[in-house]
Amino acid sequence: MNNEMTSSEKMVTTNNIISDLKSILKLKVLIANILPVFTAFWLAIYITGSSFTEHLGLFLLTMIGSTLIVAGALLFNNWYEVDLDKEMLRTKSRPTVTGNFSLQAVFRTAVALTVLGLILMLFTTIEAAVYAFLGWFVYVVLYTVWSKRRYTLNTVIGSLSGAFTPLIGWAAIEPAFHIVPIVLFMMLFIWQIPHTFAIAIKRHDEYKAAGVPMLPVVHGIAFTKRQILVYIACLFPLPFFLSMFGSIFIVIATLLNVGFLYLAIRGFYTNNELKWAQQIFIYSLVYLIAFFLVMIIASLLV
């Protein structure tokens, strides 16, 4: 009997491992959290007139440290919510549910990544390390453990966690008491709420079956649509506080907000709420990437 794996079997095994890692680390969420760190670091370099090459070591410490901390927080979330993941279609294939990764291994890895990430962040600035820890604490303790299974405000609390990321990147260069990181903090906090509400509408039945008190489950989809509209409207003033990036940036950011608001208003006239929620979800991702990329490009052109 041949006990050796064929090349095709090895390929399948490797692909399965990669797929499991992407799932448990929530790769898209991880990237969405690290992009603001990079953007804020870059903008702090621009505003202070510093040289990126002179801060290359600091940049690597900031990016690696923050990535490890975010990854640690996401692993803690997977470890703690394995019972909920079993009840939801989109999470049933996570390795913590299938047993491909043991819960003990996931927990230990989460601790190790968090501790290592915080140690690396301490080699940047104390302020940046504090923001990184606060983001981790809000997501793991206040969101995952305390509020998600109890209150509809879990979305607001979870959004606060992600909003710390630009403060991390900026504070690695200089104190974050500056209009740019403050506006980015506010933008991310506000942006995440309609983004998450769209997911909650898409997965309404799954959240209801799992007993998670998401806003559309508790107060209905119509109420959630109104909340999405309100939060998107709150994004409109923010680009005007960033006039140092030029009028082109303000125009593009405002157009992004107009598109977001237009989609939100369409939600009141649609017969296909799942399709509409998917459109809001996709647009919100495009919005986030475009907003930060335009800021980076504007800093190069101004």
Side-chain angles (χ1 to χ4, degrees), residues 94-153:
R94 283 181 180 166
T96 44
V97 177
T98 61
N100 291 350
F101 293 168
S102 72
L103 291 179
Q104 185 180 60
V106 171
F107 178 80
R108 289 178 176 176
T109 304
V111 172
L113 292 180
T114 300
V115 172
L116 180 57
L118 286 172
I119 291 173
L120 291 178
M121 289 305 303
L122 287 171
F123 284 97
T124 60
T125 66
I126 297 297
E127 185 179 353
V130 168
Y131 292 139
F133 173 75
L134 286 175
W136 179 93
F137 179 82
V138 172
Y139 185 77
V140 173
V141 179
L142 299 186
Y143 171 69
T144 300
V145 176
W146 176 60
S147 67
K148 184 169 183 178
R149 301 170 188 246
R150 294 178 175 87
Y151 311 109
T152 57
L153 281 176

Side-chain angles (χ1 to χ4, degrees), residues 37 79 112 163 168 171 201 215 230 251 257 271 284:
V37 178
W79 168 77
I168 298 169
I201 292 174
L215 191 68
V230 169
V251 170
N257 286 332
N271 295 320
S284 66

Side-chain angles (χ1 to χ4, degrees), residues 177-290:
F177 189 69
H178 188 283
I179 189 63
V180 173
I182 291 173
V183 169
L184 292 182
F185 174 91
M186 294 175 64
M187 188 278 284
L188 274 172
F189 171 70
I190 296 169
W191 167 86
Q192 286 177 92
I193 297 175
H195 171 78
T196 306
F197 283 165
I199 297 174
I201 292 174
K202 284 173 54 183
R203 304 293 180 178
H204 174 276
D205 293 344
E206 295 179 46
Y207 279 119
K208 185 175 181 180
V212 181
M214 300 301 287
L215 191 68
V217 173
V218 177
H219 294 291
I221 292 177
F223 181 84
T224 306
K225 288 180 179 179
R226 293 194 293 272
Q227 292 295 302
I228 288 175
L229 184 66
V230 169
Y231 280 105
I232 291 175
C234 290
L235 290 170
F236 271 77
L238 298 183
F240 296 94
F241 291 98
L242 302 173
S243 58
M244 70 281 290
F245 296 110
S247 57
I248 294 178
F249 163 75
I250 294 176
V251 170
I252 294 175
T254 300
L255 289 175
L256 287 170
N257 286 332
V258 169
F260 214 171
L261 188 66
Y262 169 73
L263 275 180
I265 293 172
R266 280 185 57 189
F268 295 98
Y269 302 97
T270 183
N271 295 320
N272 191 337
E273 291 170 334
L274 294 182
K275 181 180 179 180
W276 169 79
Q278 177 68 5
Q279 291 172 342
I280 286 284
F281 171 74
I282 293 174
Y283 187 89
S284 66
L285 294 177
V286 173
Y287 177 99
L288 182 69
I289 295 171

